[in-house]
Amino acid sequence: LFRSNADGEAGLPGSIFIAPHSYSDPDELILYSGTLLFDTNGVWSHSSGMSGRGEIISDYTKVASTPYGFGISKFSFSKLYLGPELSVVIQGPNALQILVEGNATIATNLSLNGSASQNGIYSGDAGPGGWSSGRLLRNTDYPSYPSPVLSGMGPGGGIGLGDPSSASGGGSFGGLGGNHHETGNIYGDSNLTHLVGGSGGGISGDTMGYAGGGGGALSLIIGGDFILEENATLSANGGIGISKGPGNSSGGSGGAIRIEAANIQNLGRIEALGGDTNGTGGAGGGGRIALITAGTLAEGNCSALAGSNPDLTEDMQANDGIISIITSPTIPEISEQNLTFHSPTSALSLGLTDGLDYNISGLPKGLEIIDLELTGTPEQAGTFTVLVKGANRFGEANNTFTIHVDPG
C-alpha cells in the first residue's frame, strides 16, 4: 500500500499496487523499441521482460498555511537512452523523478498530461504527481435537481458551485486559472523545490460537462549531458474542460517539468500547458518549467502557456505559467533610465530574468523592483547609481546602471 497525492484530509482513498515478483534492475537503461512502462507506485518494466524498482518518497508542502501531501517515485540509472521507436507509458499517482549518473538522451515522447472527467460525476484524472478535477455529486433520488459539487483538487484547484449559473474556476499553478474570482492559489517556486504537479479545474451546476485534471510532475536529474532529440516531446499539460448544458466545466492547470544537467540541449519540445475550455468555465493556468545547468543551454521550444476559452472576456482568461532558466548568473547591461520627479513610472523592464535571488541597492526613494520591473514614483531628484546583484547555486554576478530623475 502506497500513499498517493492527497489534500491532507481524512477519508481520501489510498491505493493498492500489485508488482512483479522479481526484477532485473539493469544499471543502464538503453532502449530502442518496444514499450516502456514507468509506474510511479515504484516499478518500471519493458516489453522485453526487463524491469526494475524505484524508491517512493512521501512529503508535503504548505500553500496558504494548508498542507498538501505528495509522493515522488525515483528511478536511478548510470546511463539513459530512449529511442524514437520506443513507446513510453507513465502511470500512477506520484511524480516521476529519473536520476542518471552519466549522459541521457530522450528521442521519444514522455507524457504526464491530465485528462477530462467522464459524465461530470467522475473526476478528470491528473497526470502522475498532479491533482484531479472537481466533479458532481449526483443526486440519484432527484436527478433533475441541481447537484452539489466538489471543487478541483490541489493548492490551485478551481472552485465549483452547485448553481448552474455560477462560473467555475480553472486550475492554477504557475499561472492563475481563468475566472479569477473562482480559482485557487498560485504555488511552487522557480527551482521546483517541491516536485508537485498541477491542480484540477472546477465544475458547476447539473451539467454533464467534463472538467480537466492537472498536469503531472517530471524531474530529470542528469550528471552528464542531456539531449531531447528532434520530434520528441516532454509534456505535463492540464486536461481540457468541456461545458455542456446549463452548467460549465473548467480546465486543469499545466504541471511541472524540471531538468537539471551538466549541459542541456533541447531539440524537441517541452510543455506544461493549461487546459482549454468553453462556455463560462475557466481555462487552466500555465504550469512550471525549470531548466537548470552550470554549462551550456540550448533552451529550444518550451511553453507554459495558459489554456484559453474563446467564450470569455480577456480579463477572465487564464494566465501563463513560468519558465525558469537557472544557469551561471549574469546581469545584463541596463540602459540609463530617465525619469521625472513626482511623476508615476509605469512598469519598466530591466531585462532581469527569473531564477536568481536579487539584491538591489541605490534606488531613489519611491522606486522599487516588483516582478523584475522598475516601478513607483520618484521622490528624489538627481542622478543615482543602482547596484544589482543576482545569485543562485552556481555563484553571484553584479552590474550597475544609472537612474536620472529630472526635477521637473
Side-chain angles (χ1 to χ4, degrees):
L1 184 67
F2 291 89
R3 188 170 69 189
S4 61
N5 287 343
D7 281 358
E9 301 172 1
L12 293 174
S15 61
I16 297 175
F17 175 62
I18 300 174
H21 180 69
S22 61
Y23 306 87
S24 53
D25 272 330
D27 184 41
E28 298 181 344
L29 189 62
I30 311 295
L31 298 171
Y32 296 92
S33 60
T35 300
L36 170 64
L37 169 67
F38 281 109
D39 190 310
T40 64
N41 283 293
V43 300
W44 67 266
S45 61
H46 183 253
S47 51
S48 66
M50 297 170 58
S51 60
R53 288 172 291 189
E55 177 187 359
I56 301 294
I57 300 171
S58 296
D59 203 347
Y60 73 94
T61 181
K62 280 191 174 183
V63 179
S65 302
T66 299
Y68 293 88
F70 66 94
I72 300 172
S73 186
K74 182 170 70 173
F75 300 92
S76 299
F77 306 98
S78 64
K79 184 178 180 180
L80 178 74
Y81 178 82
L82 304 181
E85 301 301 319
L86 178 70
S87 175
V88 180
V89 178
I90 303 172
Q91 66 182 34
N94 301 310
L96 173 62
Q97 184 177 78
I98 300 176
L99 292 85
V100 180
E101 182 179 353
N103 298 330
T105 297
I106 296 177
T108 188
N109 298 331
L110 272 61
S111 171
L112 295 87
N113 297 338
S115 62
S117 61
Q118 302 178 35
N119 297 326
I121 59 175
Y122 298 100
S123 292
D125 289 335
W131 280 275
S132 300
S133 77
R135 66 180 179 89
L136 300 179
L137 300 175
R138 181 66 65 193
N139 186 336
T140 57
D141 293 328
Y142 302 96
S144 62
Y145 281 61
S147 302
V149 298
L150 294 176
S151 295
M153 298 186 70
I159 297 173
L161 302 169
D163 182 358
S165 64
S166 299
S168 60
S172 302
F173 184 14
L176 200 62
N179 286 331
H180 305 315
H181 53 288
E182 302 294 353
T183 56
N185 300 289
I186 292 175
Y187 55 100
D189 58 25
S190 60
N191 195 57
L192 288 173
T193 303
H194 297 289
L195 188 60
V196 296
S199 296
I203 188 170
S204 290
D206 59 351
T207 177
M208 297 297 285
Y210 311 93
L218 171 66
S219 172
L220 304 173
I221 301 177
I222 315 300
D225 298 338
F226 173 75
I227 300 174
L228 182 66
E229 293 283 16
E230 291 184 28
N231 302 316
T233 299
L234 308 180
S235 62
N237 300 330
I240 63 171
I242 303 174
S243 298
K244 303 172 68 175
N248 60 83
S249 301
S250 295
S253 75
I257 297 179
R258 182 184 190 276
I259 302 173
E260 181 175 354
N263 299 285
I264 297 174
Q265 186 175 22
N266 174 22
L267 303 175
R269 179 170 171 81
I270 302 171
E271 55 187 37
L273 309 175
D276 297 336
T277 191
N278 66 312
T280 56
R288 288 182 176 270
I289 296 172
L291 303 178
I292 304 170
T293 180
T296 60
L297 169 65
E299 180 181 348
N301 189 349
C302 296
S303 179
L305 293 176
S308 64
N309 181 345
D311 300 322
L312 287 182
T313 58
E314 183 64 29
D315 61 318
M316 287 292 104
Q317 296 292 336
N319 295 342
D320 294 339
I322 296 174
I323 299 175
S324 301
I325 306 299
I326 302 177
T327 59
S328 296
T330 60
I331 305 296
E333 293 294 329
I334 302 173
S335 61
E336 179 177 306
Q337 305 295 311
N338 294 301
L339 308 176
T340 302
F341 180 66
H342 273 179
S343 178
T345 302
S346 58
L348 296 173
S349 174
L350 300 178
L352 304 179
T353 58
D354 189 55
L356 295 179
D357 294 323
Y358 288 100
N359 184 292
I360 299 173
S361 59
L363 286 171
K365 185 178 180 181
L367 295 181
E368 57 184 336
I369 305 293
I370 299 179
D371 294 332
L372 305 182
E373 295 179 321
L374 180 67
T375 188
T377 301
E379 297 179 8
Q380 289 177 287
T383 299
F384 303 85
T385 299
V386 180
L387 174 63
V388 180
K389 294 182 179 180
N392 63 16
R393 66 175 70 183
F394 302 125
E396 179 180 293
N398 63 75
N399 209 340
T400 61
F401 72 100
T402 300
I403 296 179
H404 179 72
V405 182
D406 191 279

